[in-house]
Amino acid sequence: MRVRTPLIAVSALALAATVAACGPSAPSKTADGGTDATLTIATTTDVVNFNPLVGNSRTDNWITSLMYPRLLTIDANGAKQPYLAKSFGYTNPTTGFYELRDDMKWSDGKPVTASDVAYTINAILKDKPAGNTTYGQLVNVDSASAPSPTRVELKLKTPDSTVVSEAGFWMNVVPQHVFEPAGSVANFPNNSNWVSAGPYKLTSFAKGQNYTLERVTPYPFAPNGTPTVAKIVYRVYPDVNTEILALKNGDVDLIANALPPAQVKNLQGASGIKVEEVPGLGYAHMTYNMKRKPLDNVKVRQALAHTVDYNAIRSVVLQGQAVSTGSSPIPPVLKEFVDPSLEEYNFDPNLSKQLLAEAGYGPGKTLTLSMIYSLQDAVTSQWATIVKDDAAKAGITINLQGMDRNTYLAKTAAGEYDIYAGNFAIMDDPTTNMALTYLPGGAINYSLVDDPALNELITKAQASTDKAEQKSLAQQAAKLVHANVYDNVMYMQNLYFAHSDKWSGFVIKPSELLSVVDPQSLANVTKS
């Protein structure tokens, strides 16, 4: 016994050591104050454009925003906050300004300066890159200048009380010394030799597989100016179901896409997984192509609006995780702008039939339309079927055309559809967003609306520096949108994101576009 006891003890110690060696271990600290950890994130689409002044898909935004800073960011309540710009505002009605911090550098060691910002703004104005949201926000800007290394000034054609905060939030700043020699920013693919202002720089990619980014220092929004994680790897999966399986198997640490509502409770109870709730700042909607007959007829659009069972979609598909906007383009989270008198279109197939009859449609002349949507958008894919089935009750045939996201975006931009179903990620300022969505030439005017009365209300709201007047004008514009069904806003959804419980420290920002993959969030996460 005396002999065997120590042997058993030695064996137990050896087993414990073996188990410890095989178990998870915390990342090692590196000399620069970070760790050697890699955070692996799942996404469902490839990057379309590495040029942040061109692309507008979510994966494009997630990756390029890690490389190209914005002047401003927003907090969890949707309020604008300083980022590259320490302060911002107007010196007079036609002069805006940003005052930059002086401690950010590009990954090749050159400082990020006001010249980079002024170049970016002027290049967007000159080259008009396709799909660039900022171009629409700069419509009242004549030019930008850099009177000092940290001072940017905007010369406005006409007073515009929204441009400084909106362009500051939406526009990625690019390095002038890299982009200017390439010529037009509208044609620059930026698909190699990236120069980044952090927290991360893309170093390699394999289409359909992965995108690898490595840490950039200094980055002033991380501990000791050093992002805590050495590498970020985005892996591409065909859909959210395979993403969830990959998370459960430990193949990825985080899913960038919002969870389908039906999976939220399931994953909240799953071992090793944590679910974060993120406030919504965008909305789901359907737009009707007003350049195509008979959708240019308001009776037809109204008939379509009354074929949708909005409550059923929110309760069945969204599992109660969404709220009505009253069919208004002003989300309820923006309480100071909301007009409570607007009521949601009611589900009434008989009223739809009556409106269709007034438009010349009925038993002898049926209405058939197509509706496009992204197959990667699991929620929209589900409610598209409900919309189709309910439209049939009013005698309208809707042919569903689900497609991959990039094809869907291309068809949307080209106006190649009858009905577009999708969602906007962030509608943070009613005046600016209505300008982008409903003015002729607006970057996201997918319905191709051009209503002189609506145009006048929106442009007056843009120019007004009187908050009460701006609110009144925005509400009048929302009523016109509602009455004419220039946009059929379905709901606003709060969002949920899943990650391994081995990771913590995520910074929560509203909308799927920022969520927990915002640069400030990923630069601060830690692995236990």
Side-chain angles (χ1 to χ4, degrees):
M1 292 295 291
R2 287 182 176 179
V3 175
R4 294 184 62 185
T5 300
L7 286 174
I8 293 172
V10 169
S11 297
L13 287 170
L15 177 61
T18 302
V19 170
C22 294
S25 58
S28 301
K29 290 281 187 182
T30 57
D32 57 8
T35 71
D36 61 358
T38 296
L39 176 69
T40 305
I41 305 174
T43 183
T44 55
T45 56
D46 271 302
V47 171
V48 181
N49 288 293
F50 294 105
N51 181 342
L53 306 185
V54 176
N56 65 356
S57 80
R58 280 173 173 73
T59 304
D60 291 18
N61 177 79
W62 290 331
I63 290 179
T64 59
S65 286
L66 291 173
M67 300 196 289
Y68 303 104
R70 300 186 186 210
L71 291 155
L72 307 175
T73 184
I74 58 177
D75 61 22
N77 298 315
K80 301 292 190 304
Q81 299 293 342
Y83 190 47
L84 174 57
K86 294 190 299 184
S87 60
F88 56 97
Y90 297 84
T91 54
N92 61 60
T94 55
T95 306
F97 76 90
Y98 302 103
E99 192 66 41
L100 309 187
R101 57 190 307 140
D102 60 3
D103 55 354
M104 292 188 74
K105 291 184 178 180
W106 298 107
S107 53
D108 59 5
K110 296 182 183 297
V112 179
T113 69
S115 292
D116 292 310
V117 178
Y119 162 75
T120 304
I121 293 171
N122 291 327
I124 292 171
L125 289 171
K126 178 173 69 71
D127 298 331
K128 306 176 181 60
N132 184 287
T133 303
T134 310
Y135 176 69
Q137 295 161 340
L138 297 175
V139 66
N140 293 323
V141 175
D142 180 72
S143 62
S145 61
S148 82
T150 57
R151 177 84 173 184
V152 180
E153 291 191 352
L154 302 183
K155 180 182 176 184
L156 306 185
K157 301 172 190 172
T158 186
D160 185 338
S161 62
T162 65
V163 64
V164 168
S165 59
E166 285 301 284
F169 171 62
W170 283 96
M171 185 185 74
N172 291 102
V173 177
V174 298
Q176 180 180 9
H177 62 286
V178 175
F179 276 59
E180 189 170 47
S184 169
V185 297
N187 301 320
F188 180 37
N190 190 37
N191 54 11
S192 63
N193 301 319
W194 296 279
V195 172
S196 164
Y200 293 93
K201 181 182 76 170
L202 188 64
T203 55
S204 64
F205 72 94
K207 281 277 187 184
Q209 298 180 44
N210 56 64
Y211 297 79
T212 299
L213 300 103
E214 297 183 4
R215 176 168 51 212
V216 170
T217 58
Y219 181 69
F221 303 100
N224 303 313
T226 304
T228 53
V229 175
K231 288 185 181 180
I232 302 287
V233 176
Y234 271 86
R235 283 189 187 167
V236 182
Y237 290 87
D239 53 51
V240 70
N241 293 324
T242 52
E243 287 182 320
I244 291 171
L245 185 61
L247 179 64
K248 288 181 173 178
N249 290 341
D251 297 330
V252 299
D253 303 302
L254 165 67
I255 297 175
N257 312 81
L259 295 174
Q263 290 285 358
V264 172
K265 287 185 179 177
N266 177 29
L267 288 175
Q268 283 174 330
S271 175
I273 293 175
K274 186 172 181 181
V275 176
E276 307 278 3
E277 182 176 357
V278 171
L281 258 182
Y283 58 69
H285 65 146
M286 288 189 291
T287 60
Y288 308 115
N289 188 338
M290 294 185 53
K291 294 297 183 185
R292 289 190 177 183
K293 291 184 179 301
L295 295 166
D296 58 344
N297 186 332
V298 65
K299 297 284 187 185
V300 173
R301 299 195 300 275
Q302 290 170 337
L304 286 164
H306 287 293
T307 65
V308 181
D309 191 342
Y310 305 94
N311 280 324
I313 288 172
R314 288 193 293 267
S315 62
V316 176
V317 180
L318 278 300
Q319 306 273 307
Q321 298 164 18
V323 296
S324 170
T325 73
S327 298
S328 167
I330 300 177
V333 69
L334 303 175
K335 293 182 175 59
E336 64 176 316
F337 281 93
V338 167
D339 180 356
S341 71
L342 287 185
E343 295 183 0
E344 187 169 82
Y345 307 122
N346 60 315
F347 173 49
D348 188 342
N350 289 328
L351 177 58
S352 293
K353 289 178 181 177
Q354 177 187 325
L355 290 162
L356 285 174
E358 294 171 13
Y361 289 88
K365 185 181 179 183
T366 57
L367 178 59
T368 300
L369 300 165
S370 62
M371 183 165 83
I372 67 169
Y373 59 97
S374 168
L375 289 171
Q376 277 76 42
D377 184 341
V379 174
T380 302
S381 298
Q382 290 179 59
W383 60 248
T385 302
I386 295 177
V387 168
K388 173 185 176 178
D389 293 344
D390 286 338
K393 297 171 184 173
I396 302 172
T397 299
I398 293 181
N399 295 318
L400 300 181
Q401 296 183 349
M403 54 193 68
D404 73 87
R405 183 165 182 81
N406 294 335
T407 302
Y408 158 79
L409 291 173
K411 284 188 172 292
T412 301
E416 295 175 355
Y417 60 89
D418 292 330
I419 305 172
Y420 148 99
N423 55 79
F424 288 144
I426 303 178
M427 304 304 271
D428 59 306
D429 180 88
T431 301
T432 301
N433 293 324
M434 284 198 274
L436 293 169
T437 310
Y438 307 124
L439 287 184
I444 49 177
N445 184 354
Y446 297 147
S447 62
L448 305 174
V449 59
D450 183 2
D451 179 335
L454 182 60
N455 299 346
E456 183 178 358
L457 287 169
I458 295 171
T459 52
K460 278 185 176 177
Q462 280 182 304
S464 177
T465 56
D466 183 313
K467 280 291 180 187
E469 181 185 45
Q470 193 179 63
K471 171 185 172 182
S472 173
L473 291 164
Q475 289 182 337
Q476 292 176 58
K479 282 182 178 176
L480 269 183
V481 171
H482 182 281
N484 291 280
V485 199
Y486 290 143
D487 203 353
N488 187 355
V489 181
M490 316 276 285
Y491 57 82
M492 195 189 77
Q493 179 184 2
N494 283 334
L495 306 166
Y496 298 84
F497 297 85
H499 62 84
S500 162
D501 66 2
K502 295 183 177 65
W503 289 85
S504 59
F506 291 99
V507 178
I508 304 295
K509 300 218 171 186
S511 93
E512 189 176 17
L513 208 56
L514 305 177
S515 67
V516 295
V517 295
D518 179 80
Q520 289 174 297
S521 177
L522 297 188
N524 286 276
V525 294
T526 57
K527 185 179 183 181
S528 59

